[in-house]
Amino acid sequence: MLTTKQTVLAVVTLCTGIAFAIQVPTSDQISIASNDRSDVLPGFGGAGDEPRAYRPDTSSLDFVYHNHEDMTRYLRATTARYPNLTALYSIGKSVQGRELWVMVVSASPYEHMLGKPDVKYIGNIHGNEAVGRELLLHMIQYLITSYTTDPYIKWLLDNTRIHILPSLNPDGYAASKEGTCDGGQGRYNSRGFDLNRNFPDYFKQNNKRSQPETEAVKEWINKIQFVLSGSLHGGALVASYPYDNTPNAKICRSSSTCAVFNSYVSQPSLTPDDDVFKHLSLTYANNHAKMSRGVACKSASPSFENGITNGAAWYPLTGGMQDYNYIWHGCMEVTLEVSCCKFPPAYELRKYWDDNQLSMIKFLAEAHRGVQGFVMDPNGGPIERAQLKIKGRDVGFSTTKYGEFWRILMPGVYKLEVFADGFVPRDVDFMVVEQHPTLLNVTMQPSKRNDGPYYRPVQQPAQSQYRPQIAAPGGLPSNSINGSPADEGILSTLSNGFNSLVNNIFG
């Protein structure tokens, strides 16, 4: 029986904004099949005497690999069978014309739920990394079949819209081969581009021609304001968090040999939200059956303390999807490497599902940690595209057309800075506590001239989010948009070849 505490904790009351915390429904103790997993995410603690198991209904989805046609049939059949919990849409097509399907799983699949966050999972960005693709199909199956029997899943779907894109690179998947643990066959899209090196980059100009698959993702996350995201990969067992790139790479722009050296003697490149990204990564790793042990996949591969790593500390890359989500759209994305073998035999898929299912669920629930609320005008109308940032954390986020905002934060005292065209900027203090998302509503006052009517200040050049200023050599701020091209010549070719080799090994 689900227990809901009715306590409302008053945190901060201001004349310009109101903040308070709400209790999130708790869940029973959780275990997975033969693995006793009584450890649960703080904030969703045990209630009830009997442990229960997360067990999917697999009657209509076997543990086998599904080609694009099979996957399409499954998704269409699922949304026809569960029209109240699912909606199927495409964000575009691959180079070879395959649909990039997304399944929404939610109690409100066809329309946004006011005040409730959108989250997403993306799989198979590298076509030969196939485990994540199947995990996401089973995730869909599990959520829809558990909604009426599992109070925790019901709460998650009642309060969250989950968008699942099982395969971003269906062309690469079609070219890859089951049983191949290493190598690059099928990794790239059909034009030979690595999609996880194909996004705009903050630290360095990315001259690679944008591909249809990445353009589809960019348009998708520009339309839907995602709060949290996970990208499923293979080739290692670790949760990797931003930044993937580093400003230090600029030091070696004129020397290819130096660039090679810096790429593999790497230092962390930390975001202003490093505490949050580490927590999100640990949430996944600690709920995984093996990841938190930090065991290396091979004797020559690195081991990862607690099963997590900063992306640039592992190896830097330019044009990664998780950095783009964070800097350009304020969405916190973590890269989840879920299998040592990129494309293991199908008979191992059940094991991977058992290892990952609790992690996948608990990770999404983290969208309800931190602060959320509305930015409104004095009449209670929503202010769309208001720019917000947490003081001291210079990567910002913005409101939806309904004036909503969300930000994942750890417990503490913060100051929210709010800017909106035509309104007086506001600073609002608030507190985040463990286990309870803090609700914060901010009212903005219109700005006006001394000589009379209201006016709208001169609009600054468009920029989707606040971005940190990275010091380049010589102490001047760097500019990722106008950076110079990569070095050319034989040493650069050598460097690029070495990078490709490492990418194929590590994922």
Side-chain angles (χ1 to χ4, degrees):
M1 183 71 180
L2 181 66
T3 301
T4 304
K5 297 181 180 177
Q6 301 299 326
T7 305
V8 176
L9 176 64
V11 180
V12 180
T13 303
L14 300 168
C15 61
T16 58
I18 300 173
F20 58 94
I22 61 172
Q23 175 68 45
V24 176
T26 58
S27 67
D28 298 335
Q29 190 176 28
I30 299 168
S31 62
I32 297 182
S34 60
N35 299 317
D36 182 14
R37 302 307 304 268
S38 59
D39 54 321
V40 295
L41 179 69
F44 309 103
D49 300 326
E50 295 297 325
R52 60 183 171 80
Y54 277 120
R55 293 192 180 92
D57 172 10
T58 57
S59 60
S60 60
L61 186 67
D62 293 333
F63 282 98
V64 297
Y65 290 106
H66 298 81
N67 63 28
H68 189 74
E69 292 72 24
D70 291 338
M71 181 178 71
T72 299
R73 280 192 292 270
Y74 167 72
L75 293 174
R76 285 176 171 164
T78 298
T79 198
R81 185 179 177 186
Y82 298 92
N84 295 327
L85 290 176
T86 63
L88 181 64
Y89 66 96
S90 171
I91 61 170
K93 293 185 178 183
S94 68
V95 172
Q96 295 181 352
R98 294 180 173 93
E99 297 285 354
L100 304 177
W101 293 117
V102 176
M103 177 74 85
V104 182
V105 185
S106 171
S108 178
Y110 288 96
E111 59 185 31
H112 174 69
M113 295 187 290
L114 194 65
K116 298 177 181 179
D118 287 87
V119 300
K120 63 182 166 72
Y121 272 131
I122 298 178
N124 205 203
I125 188 170
H126 293 139
N128 63 336
E129 297 171 12
V131 173
R133 174 186 176 109
E134 296 302 324
L135 290 182
L136 292 179
L137 295 180
H138 282 278
M139 180 69 164
I140 293 169
Q141 181 77 7
Y142 175 70
L143 292 173
I144 57 180
T145 56
S146 301
Y147 180 75
T148 58
T149 60
D150 188 326
Y152 187 88
I153 297 302
K154 186 178 188 305
W155 170 82
L156 186 63
L157 298 191
D158 285 347
N159 292 278
T160 322
R161 294 184 80 229
I162 302 169
H163 302 246
I164 296 177
L165 197 169
S167 179
L168 180 58
N169 189 0
D171 297 352
Y173 177 82
S176 56
K177 185 178 180 181
E178 180 179 341
T180 304
C181 288
D182 303 301
Q185 181 181 349
R187 175 185 177 89
Y188 310 102
N189 77 345
S190 60
R191 290 177 179 164
F193 284 83
D194 187 327
L195 299 180
N196 202 39
R197 310 293 188 272
N198 198 239
F199 287 88
D201 193 278
Y202 175 65
F203 296 98
K204 186 178 180 182
Q205 185 177 6
N206 189 356
N207 292 320
K208 295 181 174 66
R209 182 159 54 97
S210 188
Q211 297 302 295
E213 296 90 345
T214 50
E215 283 298 309
V217 170
K218 287 157 65 176
E219 184 177 357
W220 181 35
I221 62 181
N222 188 54
K223 289 180 178 177
I224 301 174
Q225 189 153 318
F226 291 105
V227 178
L228 178 63
S229 176
S231 173
L232 276 65
H233 290 246
L237 200 61
V238 65
S240 174
Y241 56 89
Y243 293 118
D244 268 335
N245 210 350
T246 171
N248 297 333
K250 292 180 178 292
I251 298 173
C252 288
R253 183 173 289 164
S254 62
S255 168
S256 297
T257 53
C258 185
V260 172
F261 178 80
N262 267 8
S263 292
Y264 304 105
V265 183
S266 306
Q267 296 297 319
S269 180
L270 305 181
T271 71
D273 291 290
D274 187 61
D275 59 335
V276 177
F277 277 115
K278 284 178 178 173
H279 171 79
L280 292 172
S281 301
L282 284 170
T283 295
Y284 198 94
N286 288 341
N287 285 288
H288 189 279
K290 303 180 180 68
M291 190 179 290
S292 62
R293 301 174 193 168
V295 178
C297 286
K298 299 176 183 177
S299 58
S301 300
S303 57
F304 302 100
E305 185 177 359
N306 299 319
I308 69 172
T309 184
N310 172 259
W314 184 11
Y315 65 95
L317 61 91
T318 297
M321 185 167 65
Q322 68 177 10
D323 286 9
Y324 176 78
N325 269 265
Y326 176 58
I327 290 290
W328 266 260
H329 294 280
C331 172
M332 294 186 172
E333 180 168 286
V334 174
T335 298
L336 306 167
E337 302 274 356
V338 297
S339 64
C340 290
C341 180
K342 293 186 176 185
F343 202 151
Y347 64 80
E348 296 184 2
L349 285 173
R350 179 56 188 258
K351 175 191 69 175
Y352 287 112
W353 171 244
D354 290 342
D355 288 349
N356 285 275
Q357 62 171 340
L358 183 59
S359 294
M360 295 172 72
I361 293 163
K362 291 297 186 181
F363 179 82
L364 292 183
E366 288 298 314
H368 297 277
R369 176 187 293 276
V371 63
Q372 62 188 69
F374 294 83
V375 177
M376 302 167 290
D377 63 26
N379 297 319
I383 300 178
E384 181 180 2
R385 293 293 179 182
Q387 298 294 306
L388 307 95
K389 72 183 182 77
I390 306 300
K391 187 174 179 61
R393 301 177 181 233
D394 289 334
V395 175
F397 48 105
S398 61
T399 57
T400 69
K401 66 179 180 180
Y402 305 108
E404 308 154 289
F405 69 89
W406 300 264
R407 194 63 167 182
I408 303 172
L409 293 166
M410 303 308 295
V413 178
Y414 300 92
K415 185 185 293 291
L416 178 69
E417 299 177 347
V418 189
F419 305 86
D421 186 24
F423 294 88
V424 178
R426 299 310 313 265
D427 289 352
V428 182
D429 296 299
F430 67 96
M431 180 184 294
V432 171
V433 297
E434 186 67 45
Q435 304 179 357
H436 309 276
T438 297
L439 299 185
L440 177 64
N441 295 329
V442 180
T443 300
M444 304 285 284
Q445 297 298 325
S447 53
K448 60 181 178 179
R449 298 181 186 273
N450 292 332
D451 57 357
Y454 292 109
Y455 81 105
R456 299 178 73 81
V458 176
Q459 198 165 9
Q460 297 300 315
Q463 176 174 294
S464 59
Q465 301 297 341
Y466 297 92
R467 301 180 187 175
Q469 292 297 309
I470 306 299
L476 298 175
S478 65
N479 189 330
S480 65
I481 305 301
N482 299 314
S484 61
D487 300 325
E488 299 186 11
I490 187 168
L491 290 178
S492 179
T493 302
L494 202 59
S495 170
N496 291 337
F498 189 34
N499 274 278
S500 297
L501 176 62
V502 172
N503 290 341
N504 287 335
I505 293 174
F506 292 121

